[in-house]
Amino acid sequence: MREIQLDTIRDAVAKLCIDANCLLGDDVVRALKNGLATEESPAGKDILNQLLENEQIARKEMMPICQDTGWAVVWVEMGSGVRVQGGELYDAIQQGVAKGYKDGFLRKSIVEDPLRRKNTGTNTPAIIYTDIVPGDGLKITVQPKGGGSENMSEVKMLSASDGADGIAKFVLDRVWRSQANPCPPIIAGIGIGGTFEKCAMLAKHSLLREIGSVHPDPFYAEMEQSLLERINRLGIGPQGLGGRVTALAVFIEAFPCHIATMPCAVNINCHAARHQSVTL
Amino acid sequence: MAKKITAPLTAETVKDLRAGDSVLISGTIYTGRDLAHKRLTDALKAGEKLPFDLAGAVIYYVGPSPAKPGQVIGSAGPTTSYRMDAYSPMLMEKGLRGMIGKGNRTQPVLDAMKQRGAVYFAAVGGAAALIARTIKAAKVIAYDDLGPEAVRELKVEDFPAIVINDTYGGDLYVAGVAKYKKD
Ligand code: SF4
């Protein structure tokens, strides 16, 4: 059994929260720059430039890219040969999130009850998804998820007979109805298959993929490409002011399905597609 | 060229603005988002005095991140506006002339804007560190217990925004998207 100290995990999570919120990924920066070449609207170009300038300021001053520093969604891949010393894994993660949001001057956006809405003041609880995997490593990914784009997300129980066309229709309709709300350019994460909740998790997980990476299954690679083109024909454009660059990427994750169902989830992310990982 | 305007807004300033105009706002604006709007309108219904004067006021829908030592404010980009739609008409009735946020408004808000002479501006969502540079002073003036949702008075200089809805029914979101839509 390999032992990892609680403090080590806590401090690593705190750093991931800060880095994810202040340092935008190279893939997003590249995608925004590529967008400058395809955007036809002058206002749209101007916005893409502002987002790039914003990224530079955030990086230099280590301040958040966006004031909505999000839900801390934490993905854990824990080797079956690992044990946490000095406490429980989940305590280590929750303490790390609270520390990161405090030390990094990140906004605390979580209320303790959906109806009574009192801020917890620590940005905890984090949402934690754990996978037990072979080996003695511990991989942790922090994915701060903003509320504005989360609100534009949806799960739908489609029928198998709806097929790929039904999925495309649902995705395009969801993006169309979102308009300026999720701060386009967006990234659309799509989960297909599994159960009702599983497909939503697939959609969220798909948002961790690198922009520009190609889906390993050519069937879905083509579907992603076609959806991206169709979304960018909608004309919503940067910030919904009209233009070509509505989405930077479409990511699909598919999973086995029950013979009677075909759930589909669309999780919308903004350009602040934040995530950082570490392997301890 | 961006139009330079001063907040609080006069009726003349508002009349001069058209959907699509870029503006640089200087002067005093107030922050308020979901819970602050609920409290402000509850106070109005109860006949209580508001923490700031609504006449000509501009409310910026933002919950900033905390200021680091030496900073005036943390990152401070707009939040999505439709969540304030249930409250905005009542505030406009009492003098509110400008709202800054992002995303489409619903019909009752658009109607109230025309009727009361108010405008809706968008700031660039996600450009929060860049926008913070135009905020020169910030202080909490009400509802401190709401944390990021407290009402703050902001002194801004050349705060960049775009007129989405003017008082004549112009709507940049609708017109802009129609221009680029292909299907
Ligand atoms: S949708 Fe994204 S960029 Fe827009 S305010 Fe929310 S977190 Fe920030």
Side-chain angles (χ1 to χ4, degrees), chain A residues 188-203:
Chain A
I190 299 166
I192 310 173
T195 49
F196 178 76
E197 82 288 359
K198 175 72 181 179
C199 86
M201 283 175 63
L202 294 168

Side-chain angles (χ1 to χ4, degrees), chain A residues 66-68 146 148-149 182-183 270 274, chain B residues 78 102 126:
Chain A
C66 182
Q67 78 290 338
D68 182 354
S149 50
C183 302
C270 45
R274 301 158 284 192
Chain B
K102 57 154 169 129

Side-chain angles (χ1 to χ4, degrees), chain A residues 65-70 145-150 181-183 239 269-272 274, chain B residues 77-80 102 125-127:
Chain A
I65 297 153
C66 182
Q67 78 290 338
D68 182 354
T69 51
K145 184 64 179 70
S149 50
E150 195 74 354
N181 293 337
C183 302
Q239 297 293 317
N269 211 359
C270 45
H271 94 283
R274 301 158 284 192
Chain B
T79 194
T80 319
K102 57 154 169 129

Side-chain angles (χ1 to χ4, degrees), chain A residues 41 50 53-54 61-65 67 105-108 176 179-181 183 233-235 239-244, chain B residues 33 63 66-69 71 75 77 80 102-104 124-130 133 148 162 173 176 180-183:
Chain A
S41 142
Q50 288 186 45
E53 193 185 344
N54 182 66
E61 302 189 10
M62 277 311 273
M63 64 191 286
I65 297 153
Q67 78 290 338
F105 295 88
L106 308 178
R107 196 181 78 183
K108 287 75 179 173
W176 174 249
Q179 293 285 328
N181 293 337
C183 302
R233 292 171 69 84
L234 293 174
Q239 297 293 317
L241 302 180
R244 286 278 81 83
Chain B
R33 40 174 297 155
K68 285 185 176 185
Q71 281 183 330
S75 296
T80 319
K102 57 154 169 129
N104 307 66
V124 176
L130 182 66
R133 295 197 156 180
I162 302 172
Y173 284 140
Y180 290 94
K181 192 170 186 326
K182 282 193 174 164
D183 292 319

Side-chain angles (χ1 to χ4, degrees), chain B residues 46-62:
Chain B
E48 290 161 15
K49 197 171 170 312
L50 295 191
F52 61 94
D53 187 2
L54 270 179
V58 176
I59 297 185
Y60 180 23
Y61 305 148
V62 59

Side-chain angles (χ1 to χ4, degrees), chain A residues 259-279:
Chain A
I259 50 173
T261 72
M262 192 174 72
C264 178
V266 183
N267 196 191
I268 304 283
N269 211 359
C270 45
H271 94 283
R274 301 158 284 192
H275 49 89
Q276 289 273 334
S277 302
V278 71
T279 302

Side-chain angles (χ1 to χ4, degrees), chain A residues 74-115:
Chain A
V74 182
W75 302 87
V76 180
E77 285 173 41
M78 187 168 189
S80 53
V82 177
R83 193 165 62 200
V84 180
Q85 260 297 319
E88 298 295 329
L89 173 70
Y90 283 11
D91 292 338
I93 293 172
Q94 300 293 2
Q95 288 172 24
V97 168
K99 181 172 159 48
Y101 276 72
K102 178 168 182 283
D103 294 354
F105 295 88
L106 308 178
R107 196 181 78 183
K108 287 75 179 173
S109 311
I110 305 305
V111 292
E112 62 187 27
D113 179 272
L115 289 173

